[in-house]
Amino acid sequence: MTEPLQPLSPATLTLDDKSYTLPTYAGIEGEKAIDISKLRTQTGYITLDEGYGNTGACESAITYIDGEKGILRYRGYAIEELAEKSRFVEVAHLLLHGELPTTEQFLKFSTRLNESSIIHEDMHHFFNGFPRGSHPMGILATMVASLSTFYPIPDELDSATEIQIVANLVSQVRTIAAFSYKKSIGEPLIYPSYKLKYTRNFLNMMFASPVRDYELDEDIVRAIDMFFILHADHEQNCSTSSVRTAGSSMANVYAVASAGICALWGPRHGGANQQVIQMLEEIHAGGGDGTAFINQAKDKNSPSRLMGFGHRVYKNFDPRAMVLKKQCDKLLNKAGVSDPLFDIARRLEEIALQDDYFISRKLYPNVDFYSGLILRAAGIPTNMFTVLFAIGRMPGWLAHWREMLHGKQVTITRPRQIYVGKTLRHYQDIDQRS
Ligand code: CMC
């Protein structure tokens, strides 16, 4: 399943009049890397790469991205093909186990997810303790970490327990997410149902009530399932790197998953989908076409950015955004469904894509630009958007955690720094300090 790195001609580095030979390698898709693992020992130098934009932190066989060409593949399968033909549970199996499941494997996997969907009854009390109006990402991160107290992990993790923990997390993240929403609106919790498949089950827990069944709309179920597929993995992004970093200390996997959720929350990562809708609502309320917002985003004296635009890796287009835009078109063309924010988003995209500021910096719509509109059409409240991203991303985080755990060896993540603070000084008693 893992293709070995191909050695290339070594690189020569000259430092302080000395030459050093550094091994270089190419991956299966031709990405090249210089191996600097012995650099500090041999030369006394470290590399300086803020944001790790030039640093390969691991070898991984899960997801391939070519940001220049707009390519995203899970385990070799193009995201466009998976979005069109597959379903989220199948994609979760693909990420976690390396292959699309056979019928028998699929049945086994989805049955296990179904059987793991209920959270310990005592956990329900916790939901009552959060203040009304708490952000559901805060609740999700807390509750996922607290799973470790209800489902303790043995010191020696055997493969059967590992598979069960993974199933717990993939399944229970959805139950916790729906419960946190129900609590926030003061409605009784709706339990997961064995009769419903993964995404239907989630929507049912979100929107059904003891006095009212939830009418599942096939197009909405499909759109949310596709949203989960498109968010399921994205190689070494901020939250996945956080998962690998936390996991490298051998912390328990519930805490590790919670670290991923916390990192995802930020507006420059998963939190952007919520910010996009807030931005579109602001433009709508102001009655403009978005030009003023774009000018503000271009102004270096303003912290504002055009949310849903730009990506660390995609410098052409984000393939996930293309799929979602089409899905948005489909959903919002349905009889009875319309959203003025979609027209604003389309206009904003047109204006930005003709503006030299965005063209020269290769800033294109990313996955979050259109995802919020789909979630709105499904009736998902804005503060739940990033929570849905977390549900989708869970199999990816866990696939990376497992890959690390079963790799050559787990090396604790511990970057270096260049110290720029005070040099040695001596303690003064408090009355002598100016
Ligand atoms: N609006 C205005 N200017 C931007 C934007 C934007 N959305 N994104 C980047 N820039 C500018 C930035 O100011 C900088 O300009 P200059 O070179 O003049 O200083 C240049 O483009 C490069 O920006 P950067 O921050 O160095 O780029 P990055 O690769 O570190 O950041 C990003 C990537 C996603 C954090 C950034 O593009 C951004 O903040 N976008 C808005 C937030 C957003 O939509 N995030 C969701 C990302 S996709 C979902 C996910 O995978 O998490």
Side-chain angles (χ1 to χ4, degrees):
M1 218 157 54
T2 311
E3 301 295 335
L5 294 180
Q6 294 305 314
L8 301 173
S9 317
T12 307
L13 175 71
T14 307
L15 279 173
D16 304 329
D17 296 331
K18 273 197 197 159
S19 283
Y20 302 91
T21 302
L22 300 173
T24 65
Y25 298 99
I28 188 75
E29 292 286 355
E31 295 158 303
K32 294 178 193 154
I34 305 174
D35 180 349
I36 53 134
S37 51
K38 298 205 170 60
L39 184 72
R40 187 170 172 279
T41 327
Q42 289 179 347
T43 68
Y45 281 77
I46 59 168
T47 56
L48 186 58
D49 184 22
E50 274 182 45
Y52 303 139
N54 304 283
T55 298
C58 59
E59 290 170 36
S60 179
I62 302 170
T63 288
Y64 172 67
I65 299 178
D66 182 332
E68 309 301 328
K69 295 191 185 136
I71 292 174
L72 168 61
R73 293 182 204 140
Y74 299 159
R75 303 278 190 192
Y77 294 99
I79 192 66
E80 295 83 355
E81 206 176 338
L82 290 172
E84 190 196 327
K85 298 188 175 157
S86 188
R87 292 295 175 270
F88 177 63
V89 169
E90 196 180 39
V91 168
H93 186 285
L94 172 69
L95 289 170
L96 286 161
H97 299 288
E99 295 296 339
L100 287 169
T102 60
T103 310
E104 194 188 325
Q105 287 167 334
F106 182 78
L107 200 65
K108 203 167 150 199
F109 185 57
S110 53
T111 304
R112 190 187 279 274
L113 290 184
N114 238 340
E115 285 173 355
S116 313
S117 59
I118 285 182
I119 57 170
H120 196 291
E121 195 66 14
D122 290 350
M123 288 185 82
H124 292 198
H125 304 303
F126 292 2
F127 288 97
N128 296 328
F130 294 104
R132 184 63 59 85
S134 302
H135 197 289
M137 281 298 276
I139 302 180
L140 189 73
T142 312
M143 297 302 286
V144 166
S146 72
L147 286 171
S148 61
T149 61
F150 286 89
Y151 305 94
I153 299 175
D155 290 343
E156 291 295 322
L157 194 60
D158 58 76
S159 76
T161 316
E162 186 184 323
I163 299 281
Q164 185 53 52
I165 293 169
V166 165
N168 284 354
L169 274 164
V170 172
S171 193
Q172 291 173 350
V173 68
R174 156 193 70 153
T175 312
I176 294 172
F179 281 11
S180 63
Y181 170 62
K182 282 297 193 192
K183 272 289 159 196
S184 75
I185 56 167
E187 278 194 11
L189 307 182
I190 299 295
Y191 282 62
S193 161
Y194 279 21
K195 285 189 229 137
L196 298 174
K197 290 186 179 151
Y198 190 95
T199 301
R200 289 165 178 280
N201 216 339
F202 169 66
L203 289 171
N204 191 62
M205 284 191 275
M206 285 281 291
F207 298 121
S209 96
V211 292
R212 161 180 41 79
D213 288 341
Y214 172 60
E215 296 292 327
L216 284 159
D217 176 319
E218 282 307 322
D219 291 330
I220 301 267
V221 175
R222 180 74 188 105
I224 299 294
D225 198 77
M226 192 183 283
F227 171 95
F228 289 152
I229 292 174
L230 294 170
H231 287 77
D233 193 44
H234 214 231
E235 48 120 299
Q236 309 308 319
N237 57 85
C238 177
S239 56
T240 304
S241 302
S242 304
V243 161
R244 280 192 180 253
T245 298
S248 76
S249 77
M250 304 307 278
N252 82 73
V253 64
Y254 295 110
V256 166
S258 179
I261 293 169
C262 291
L264 185 74
W265 194 352
R268 294 211 175 166
H269 190 13
N273 55 15
Q274 176 173 343
Q275 305 265 328
V276 169
I277 293 298
Q278 282 161 359
M279 173 184 81
L280 296 175
E281 277 170 347
E282 238 176 83
I283 295 169
H284 185 51
D289 65 353
T291 311
F293 207 99
I294 289 189
N295 288 338
Q296 207 183 338
K298 286 159 50 178
D299 181 356
K300 288 286 150 213
N301 297 317
S302 154
S304 151
R305 286 190 166 195
L306 186 58
M307 298 314 288
F309 256 72
H311 200 277
R312 169 60 63 82
V313 179
Y314 296 118
K315 300 300 174 195
N316 185 322
F317 62 89
D318 179 340
R320 302 168 300 172
M322 311 275 275
V323 175
L324 280 177
K325 188 178 180 184
K326 265 196 228 151
Q327 190 64 21
C328 233
D329 261 326
K330 202 173 147 198
L331 210 57
L332 295 172
N333 279 339
K334 262 174 80 122
V337 186
S338 75
D339 190 343
L341 300 195
F342 187 40
D343 298 327
I344 295 175
R346 276 198 278 223
R347 269 206 313 275
L348 211 56
E349 181 181 341
E350 259 169 46
I351 300 171
L353 292 182
Q354 285 166 18
D355 189 311
D356 190 52
Y357 175 95
F358 294 90
I359 297 170
S360 62
R361 287 170 181 75
K362 300 185 174 171
L363 302 170
Y364 294 88
N366 60 48
V367 67
D368 290 324
F369 196 67
Y370 285 105
S371 65
L373 293 161
I374 291 195
L375 300 182
R376 259 168 75 91
I380 308 283
T382 313
N383 69 354
M384 284 291 290
F385 286 6
T386 315
V387 169
L388 269 86
F389 192 152
I391 298 175
R393 185 56 56 89
M394 188 58 81
W397 288 331
L398 294 169
H400 283 272
W401 172 73
R402 293 192 73 206
E403 185 175 66
M404 183 178 67
L405 211 64
H406 299 291
K408 285 179 232 156
Q409 63 177 57
V410 183
T411 309
I412 190 161
T413 304
R414 199 339 185 152
R416 296 271 174 171
Q417 62 164 21
I418 296 186
Y419 178 69
V420 293
K422 304 272 188 210
T423 52
L424 180 68
R425 48 189 180 154
H426 294 288
Y427 184 85
Q428 286 174 318
D429 290 334
I430 196 161
D431 53 355
Q432 289 170 3
R433 293 174 210 158
S434 52

